[in-house]
């Protein structure tokens, strides 16, 4: 990679010659401005206000406007000869814990490469920073301005440098946060934590610019004379009316996308689990549906009427009971019907015989009683 700045790190009396290499690159989509009627390119020309003539880059210099409005011409050679210690030196001012630096103060990122003969002091500074867990705050003049910088050990044994904004370049955040008093309940925080766990961690290496890919597909389709695909309109966000419901729906959606069972806490602190249906031979049986109470499932007792031993019958048991009842009344074979009729006829004849004998025995006893009288 081509270096954009060369100088040395001033680490006390130790000097470490280094080269600054860009650590990032811009892949943003850029468009050219065209004339809509004929497709001609629109260009910006640099024209002198005095003679109205177009001026080339070699004829353009720098000028600084003073507070009174007057402009002073300053040449590049004059800027290079300024008595500025940081013109070619990364001057280390001190050390701070890396996590104490506010992210909003970081500007651009660079790699520091050791120059010829600087391997030993380069590794010394890198290892000293890594062991202390601190970063070095420094100043340097680069690209026409002096800036703060944070030096820290990076990956693959490379020293990284992040240019920083000056404290007076960071705007105050006063008045931006919500001014009204807002109370967040523990149940809402618990659901927010559950949603964060459900979404999981993200691998930054797998992320890519989908907008750039979509633009490239659009351009390719137009070049090939193909009608580009029309995306479905994105849902517009509205005001959140019920924060708990929105969090619960988000947890269900996140877990559903990952193939996990849904389990969350509602505002009352009760757990709610997804209904699982188990299909059996005799019908369907549901388990795990509804709310889970802390005291267990409610049971019906005998005093409440219709108490069932062992809980609710399954569909298979109900079917078997119906078949047994139907068989006891209508499921008899013809042979069984005949035997039943004969048995009934025999019982009727026996009853008639016993009744006649009893009547015959009673008659002589009555006659004897009359004669004795």
């Amino acid at each position: 990679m081509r270096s954009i700045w060369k100088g040395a790190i001033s680490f006390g009396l130790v000097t470490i010659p280094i080269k600054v290499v860009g650590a990032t690159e811009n892949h943003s989509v850029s468009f050219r401005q065209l004339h809509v009627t004929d497709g001609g390119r629109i260009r910006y020309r640099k024209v002198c206000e005095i003679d109205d003539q177009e001026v080339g880059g070699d004829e353009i210099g720098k000028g600084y406007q003073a507070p009174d409005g007057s402009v002073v011409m300053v040449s590049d050679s004059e800027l290079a000869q300024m008595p500025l210690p940081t013109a070619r030196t990364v001057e280390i001012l001190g050390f701070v814990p890396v996590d104490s630096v506010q992210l909003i103060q970081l500007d651009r990122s660079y790699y520091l490469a050791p120059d010829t003969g600087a391997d030993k002091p380069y590794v010394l500074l890198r290892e000293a920073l890594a062991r202390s867990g601190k970063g070095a705050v420094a100043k340097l003049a680069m690209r026409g301005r002096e800036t703060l910088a944070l030096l820290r050990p990076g990956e693959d044994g490379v020293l990284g440098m992040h240019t920083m904004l000056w404290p007076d370049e960071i705007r105050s955040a006063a008045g931006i946060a919500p001014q009204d008093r807002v109370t967040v309940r523990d149940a809402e925080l618990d659901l927010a934590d559950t949603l964060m766990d459900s979404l999981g961690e993200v691998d930054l290496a797998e992320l890519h610019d989908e907008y750039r890919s979509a633009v490239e597909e659009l351009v390719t389709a137009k070049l090939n004379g193909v009608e580009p695909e029309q995306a479905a309109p994105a849902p517009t966000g509205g005001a959140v009316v019920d924060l708990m419901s929105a969090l619960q729906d988000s947890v269900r959606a996140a877990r559903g996308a990952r193939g996990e069972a849904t389990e969350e806490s509602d505002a009352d602190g009760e757990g709610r689990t997804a209904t699982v249906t188990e299909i059996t031979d005799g019908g369907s049986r549901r388990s795990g549906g509804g709310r889970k109470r802390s005291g267990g499932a409610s049971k019906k007792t005998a005093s409440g009427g219709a108490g069932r031993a062992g809980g609710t019958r399954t569909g298979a048991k109900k079917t078997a009971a119906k078949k047994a009842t139907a068989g006891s009344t209508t499921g008899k074979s013809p042979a069984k019907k005949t035997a039943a009729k004969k048995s009934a006829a025999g019982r009727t004849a026996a009853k008639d015989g016993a009744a006649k004998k009893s009547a015959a025995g009673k008659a002589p006893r009555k006659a004897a009683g009359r004669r004795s009288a």
Side-chain angles (χ1 to χ4, degrees):
M1 290 183 287
R2 186 177 61 88
S3 62
I4 60 175
W5 190 89
K6 294 183 68 174
I9 299 176
S10 176
F11 181 30
L13 296 179
V14 178
T15 301
I16 310 172
I18 51 96
K19 296 181 291 186
V20 177
V21 179
T24 62
E25 54 188 5
N26 190 356
H27 290 168
S28 300
V29 176
S30 59
F31 297 95
R32 292 182 176 179
Q33 293 184 332
L34 303 177
H35 192 191
V36 177
T37 57
D38 55 15
R41 185 173 177 182
I42 305 299
R43 296 180 180 272
Y44 292 96
R45 292 185 171 90
K46 297 178 180 180
V47 178
C48 177
E49 293 181 351
I50 297 178
D51 57 14
D52 200 23
Q53 297 294 320
E54 185 175 352
V55 180
D58 56 345
E59 300 180 75
I60 299 176
K62 293 183 177 68
Y64 182 84
Q65 185 172 0
D68 60 357
S70 59
V71 178
V72 179
M73 295 285 293
V74 180
S75 65
D76 292 337
S77 60
E78 291 173 336
L79 292 174
Q81 294 174 2
M82 289 190 304
L84 188 63
T86 58
R88 287 295 173 187
T89 303
V90 180
E91 182 183 358
I92 294 180
L93 306 176
F95 302 88
V96 296
V98 175
D99 55 4
S100 67
V101 179
Q102 296 183 2
L103 296 179
I104 196 172
Q105 196 170 0
L106 300 180
D107 191 11
R108 308 189 72 169
S109 300
Y110 301 91
Y111 293 135
L112 300 183
D115 210 341
T116 305
D119 290 353
K120 183 65 178 286
Y122 181 94
V123 173
L124 172 65
L125 178 59
R126 184 194 67 194
E127 295 301 315
L129 293 175
R131 189 168 67 173
S132 66
K134 295 182 178 180
V137 177
K139 288 197 307 180
L140 76 155
M142 184 173 63
R143 291 185 169 178
R145 58 170 298 185
E146 187 177 57
T147 180
L148 285 174
L150 176 69
L151 277 61
R152 66 173 186 84
E155 298 179 356
D156 301 327
V158 177
L159 272 176
M161 183 178 73
H162 307 277
T163 56
M164 302 172 61
L165 301 175
W166 295 97
D168 59 358
E169 293 180 319
I170 300 176
R171 294 176 178 176
S172 172
I176 297 178
Q179 301 300 310
D180 297 334
R181 183 173 181 179
V182 179
T183 302
V184 179
R185 296 179 294 168
D186 291 339
E188 295 169 337
L189 284 175
D190 292 341
L191 268 179
D193 291 339
T194 303
L195 177 57
M196 293 170 64
D197 294 338
S198 300
L199 292 174
E201 297 181 355
V202 60
D203 185 1
L204 297 179
E206 296 181 355
L207 302 181
H208 64 281
D209 188 350
E210 296 184 3
Y211 178 78
R212 188 181 70 214
S213 300
V215 170
E216 292 173 352
E217 293 178 2
L218 171 64
V219 172
T220 302
K222 293 179 73 67
L223 288 175
N224 296 332
V226 179
E227 184 68 21
E229 296 183 2
Q230 298 293 329
T236 57
V240 178
V241 179
D242 190 345
L243 182 58
M244 291 296 296
S245 298
L247 288 171
Q248 291 170 354
D249 292 342
S250 300
V251 170
R252 280 192 288 269
R255 287 184 169 175
R258 300 177 63 176
E260 298 178 0
T262 305
E263 182 176 351
E264 73 251 14
S265 299
D266 57 12
D268 299 331
E270 299 173 346
R272 181 182 300 171
T273 57
T275 301
V276 180
T277 304
E278 179 184 356
I279 305 299
T280 62
D281 294 338
S284 62
R285 181 173 60 207
R286 292 184 298 175
S287 62
R291 294 177 180 265
K292 296 191 297 184
R293 301 293 182 182
S294 58
S298 60
K299 300 179 181 178
K300 292 184 179 180
T301 61
S303 60
R308 296 177 182 176
T312 307
R313 292 179 177 177
T314 63
K317 291 181 179 179
K318 290 183 178 180
T319 305
K322 290 181 180 180
K323 289 182 178 180
T325 305
S328 64
T329 56
T330 61
K332 295 179 180 180
S333 62
K336 291 182 179 180
K337 289 182 179 179
T338 304
K341 289 181 180 179
K342 289 181 179 181
S343 177
R347 287 195 298 269
T348 303
K351 288 181 180 180
D352 292 344
K356 289 180 180 180
K357 290 180 180 180
S358 177
K362 290 179 180 179
R365 286 196 295 270
K366 288 181 179 180
R370 289 172 183 167
R371 286 196 295 268
S372 174

